[in-house]
Amino acid sequence: MQKNTNQKLQALNWDDLRYFLEVARTQRASAAAKRLGVDHTTVARRVRELEAVLGVILFDKSRAGGFTLTADGQRLLSHADTVETAVRSASEQFAGASQGLSGHVRVGSTEGFGCFFLSPQLARFTAANRDMSIDLLSVPHFISLSKREADMAITLERPERGQYVFTKLCDYQLRLYGTRAYFQNHKPVRSVADLQNHAFIDYVEDLAFSHELLYLKRTIPNARVNLCSTSVIAHYHATLQGTALAFLPCFMATPNPALVSVLPEEVVVTRHFWLSSREELRNLRRITSLWDYLRATAEANKSLLMGESSQMNYVDP
């Protein structure tokens, strides 16, 4: 941005930045309008006016990509996000503990954990806290807290750098699964050596977003793979067709009676989920409450996560 940007920023009000932030996060004027409770033409107009005040282009706009932040937009995002955090923190402090939770939280998660575990848990959390809304980003790639793609993230690996607060959320296990029908039609598996006679479903190795996902190659060298996908949910549904075996998280596979674990005491992988948040957000009430709730739900479901139970448990939000 130009040198006089700081002077221009001082002339802005919070309402200007609210419009900018919602468009930056949703990348669509229509989606931002829905969140703000206004018409999408109002959002587009306010963005144009903000760009005129600052004398820069904040978004590249296209039909396919929507509103994509420019380099100047990325720099403003950092300032606007800081202002939003300060405003909300002050609001929470003055509102006092007598008021219920409110506000919006965006949670990033691995795909399988988000869809099979977090979604039912968060549905109960939002039902109990009607003034809160949550975006659950269950995707087969990393969610970046530094780029403000989410307020909180559940990841396979611990954050190595950056201004984050983090904790180990839980351990979980993966085992090798096939359907009952599969084992009726294929050679029995009595030892690890017998697995050489079977086909497997695995990740696309060069597109795996974390080396933590490549457990088949490390656990069963030279395994014969006949189907690869970047999605663990695709692995799950492909396994249910009864044509091959796959490593699946126990919390996904154990509740389905059609799936049977293979050599569960010998072929097992233990991994961890990490919960993290940007440091400046951690003390916001809505972040703290959701953080504590997620830790409580993980604790209550140790048996499910470790493949010792097929029952999901719930805690009071």
Side-chain angles (χ1 to χ4, degrees):
M1 288 187 182
Q2 301 173 2
K3 291 182 179 180
N4 62 350
T5 296
N6 287 338
Q7 295 176 343
K8 292 178 178 179
L9 283 173
Q10 292 175 9
L12 295 178
N13 59 45
W14 168 235
D15 206 41
D16 295 324
L17 297 179
R18 284 177 60 238
Y19 281 84
F20 166 76
L21 281 169
E22 292 299 343
V23 174
R25 289 165 178 164
T26 63
Q27 298 187 320
R28 291 287 188 277
S30 57
K34 185 176 180 180
R35 287 190 178 185
L36 292 164
V38 299
D39 186 85
H40 76 276
T41 57
T42 300
V43 173
R45 174 176 58 79
R46 294 293 290 266
V47 169
R48 289 195 301 270
E49 290 174 353
L50 180 58
E51 290 178 327
V53 168
L54 294 175
V56 297
I57 300 299
L58 299 172
F59 297 99
D60 290 323
K61 309 166 190 76
S62 69
R63 289 185 177 228
F67 286 68
T68 305
L69 285 168
T70 62
D72 287 320
Q74 288 285 359
R75 283 191 281 272
L76 179 60
L77 178 62
S78 177
H79 292 292
D81 194 75
T82 300
V83 171
E84 179 187 51
T85 300
V87 169
R88 290 182 173 176
S89 180
S91 177
E92 287 182 355
Q93 289 183 32
F94 284 102
S98 61
Q99 294 189 4
L101 293 175
S102 63
H104 182 75
V105 180
R106 179 167 282 191
V107 181
S109 170
T110 57
E111 186 186 29
F113 193 63
C115 292
F116 281 75
F117 185 84
L118 289 181
S119 57
Q121 300 288 348
L122 292 178
R124 295 196 173 214
F125 185 85
T126 52
N129 298 280
R130 297 288 185 176
D131 292 328
M132 272 199 65
S133 61
I134 296 175
D135 287 347
L136 174 59
L137 312 183
S138 303
V139 291
H141 59 76
F142 281 122
I143 293 293
S144 174
L145 293 180
S146 63
K147 294 180 181 178
R148 293 169 171 79
E149 294 175 345
D151 304 309
M152 303 168 66
I154 296 170
T155 57
L156 297 172
E157 299 171 358
R158 184 178 68 180
E160 294 295 332
R161 61 180 64 87
Q163 295 181 327
Y164 307 122
V165 179
F166 61 86
T167 185
K168 189 170 82 168
L169 181 63
C170 61
D171 295 325
Y172 72 101
Q173 287 192 344
L174 304 101
R175 292 180 184 152
L176 198 58
Y177 287 91
T179 63
R180 297 181 187 278
Y182 175 88
F183 292 109
Q184 291 173 0
N185 299 315
H186 292 79
K187 293 180 179 180
V189 179
R190 299 187 178 92
S191 68
V192 174
D194 291 335
L195 292 172
Q196 298 298 326
N197 299 318
H198 296 264
F200 295 87
I201 301 160
D202 198 11
Y203 285 93
V204 181
E205 184 171 348
D206 61 319
L207 295 179
F209 67 89
S210 169
H211 73 278
E212 295 285 348
L213 298 173
L214 304 179
Y215 21 74
L216 178 64
K217 184 176 181 180
R218 292 192 294 269
T219 308
I220 308 173
N222 302 315
R224 179 166 58 90
V225 177
N226 63 4
L227 177 64
C228 291
S229 172
T230 57
S231 166
V232 69
I233 295 179
H235 296 182
Y236 173 82
H237 287 293
T239 304
L240 287 174
Q241 301 310 303
T243 61
L245 306 176
F247 268 109
L248 296 171
C250 295
F251 62 80
M252 290 176 60
T254 303
N256 191 330
L259 292 171
V260 180
S261 59
V262 183
L263 304 175
E265 301 302 322
E266 298 177 62
V267 185
V268 59
V269 176
T270 301
R271 290 289 181 264
H272 325 286
F273 283 125
W274 295 87
L275 175 63
S276 57
S277 174
R278 302 207 316 271
E279 194 171 48
E280 71 272 18
L281 300 179
R282 179 63 182 85
N283 291 325
L284 293 177
R285 279 183 64 209
R286 65 184 184 280
I287 299 293
T288 298
S289 296
L290 185 54
W291 179 285
D292 293 343
Y293 176 73
L294 292 176
R295 294 194 67 183
T297 60
E299 179 69 22
N301 283 282
K302 278 185 176 180
S303 295
L304 174 66
L305 294 166
M306 297 299 285
E308 298 164 359
S309 169
S310 61
Q311 180 68 41
M312 182 176 288
N313 297 316
Y314 297 92
V315 298
D316 292 333

